Amino acid sequence: INAEYGGIIDQGHSKEADIQSSIDNLNRRYDNLVRLGERRKGQLNEKKNLLTFYRDVEECCEWIEEKKKPLLSADTYGDMELLKAMQRNHVALSRELQCIH
């Protein structure tokens, strides 16, 4: 609008003051809209980051609960093969925990 109708003012139109006032008003409104859009974009990004954080926390809690179950299982000292399997699982879990921490 500025480029298209700004020429009217340059031509010395009789309503030059009104035209300039309208253009200035339009520019203020546009600038305000851009500022509002940028602020909203920031708010949405903050909300996205927060929701991502909560989702990651929930996934970690679920992972912890999943890994905790075998640690709470009953002792099986009478079955050598099961005991060996549990030891392997425990070693794997220990490695996984070291990688995460």
Side-chain angles (χ1 to χ4, degrees):
I1 296 255
N2 288 332
E4 189 173 337
Y5 294 108
I8 294 174
I9 294 172
D10 296 338
Q11 296 172 1
H13 195 281
S14 63
K15 298 283 187 175
E16 181 179 328
D18 290 339
I19 294 169
Q20 186 62 53
S21 176
S22 293
I23 289 173
D24 291 345
N25 184 31
L26 179 62
N27 286 333
R28 279 192 302 276
R29 288 175 178 228
Y30 176 79
D31 291 342
N32 187 43
L33 180 63
V34 168
R35 280 192 304 276
L36 287 172
E38 288 299 316
R39 186 173 72 198
R40 180 68 174 157
K41 180 181 175 181
Q43 291 170 339
L44 291 172
N45 281 334
E46 287 177 12
K47 182 66 117 176
K48 179 185 171 216
N49 291 339
L50 183 63
L51 291 175
T52 299
F53 167 76
Y54 285 133
R55 185 200 64 214
D56 290 347
V57 166
E58 182 62 29
E59 286 176 2
C60 285
C61 289
E62 289 172 4
W63 180 86
I64 288 169
E65 289 304 312
E66 176 187 321
K67 299 301 177 181
K68 190 168 72 171
K69 287 177 186 175
L71 299 175
L72 298 175
S73 66
D75 295 328
T76 57
Y77 296 112
D79 186 345
M80 182 58 82
E81 291 306 313
L82 184 56
L83 182 58
K84 287 180 182 179
M86 290 176 72
Q87 285 178 320
R88 286 191 301 273
N89 290 341
H90 186 75
V91 168
L93 176 60
S94 295
R95 285 187 192 133
E96 199 172 346
L97 290 174
Q98 287 175 347
C99 290
I100 293 173
H101 197 274

